[in-house]
Amino acid sequence: MTQTVMHLDDTDSLERFDAALDALEGHLKRVFADDSAEADRAVLAALQEQVRVLTEERDRLLTDLEAERARVQRLKEANEEVSGRLEGVMGALKDMAPALQD
């Protein structure tokens, strides 16, 4: 399976998602707190279910995001290690080059 790397500001996206979810939750709390509301309870229950699903999805996305951040960190560390080894080999080859020309 091929994964596509997207260059998005994940922090901004997560903050926007959280803000939208918080706004929806706040609205639902106000609707349910208003005893005189004539809104259809089935519609409100469906909205509550959507909030629950969105909350679960946000939690899954956060878990995935943290896993990807950890993966990126491991890749950066591996890159630094390989770069260091290559620099060492290149230095050794440069040191050996004059001796090979003699």
Side-chain angles (χ1 to χ4, degrees):
M1 176 187 338
T2 304
Q3 289 186 342
T4 304
V5 177
M6 298 180 71
H7 300 285
L8 299 174
D9 184 357
D10 52 316
T11 303
D12 182 51
S13 298
L14 196 55
E15 287 173 359
R16 288 186 300 130
F17 184 78
D18 280 338
L21 188 59
D22 290 343
L24 181 58
E25 285 176 323
H27 176 72
L28 286 176
K29 286 178 184 177
R30 286 190 302 276
V31 168
F32 278 112
D34 185 7
D35 289 334
S36 65
E38 296 179 17
D40 181 17
R41 293 295 176 191
V43 171
L44 294 176
L47 287 173
Q48 275 188 319
E49 178 63 16
Q50 285 180 332
V51 169
R52 186 190 64 74
V53 169
L54 286 172
T55 301
E56 288 176 358
E57 182 64 14
R58 178 186 59 186
D59 293 344
R60 280 192 296 272
L61 288 170
L62 185 57
T63 299
D64 292 347
L65 177 61
E66 290 303 319
E68 286 302 311
R69 285 181 176 163
R71 179 178 168 267
V72 166
Q73 184 60 38
R74 288 191 311 272
L75 289 172
K76 284 181 181 179
E77 291 168 1
N79 184 31
E80 290 173 8
E81 182 180 340
V82 169
S83 294
R85 288 182 183 186
L86 286 173
E87 287 176 12
V89 169
M90 287 173 44
L93 289 174
K94 285 180 184 178
D95 291 344
M96 291 178 5
L100 294 175
Q101 291 178 359
D102 290 339

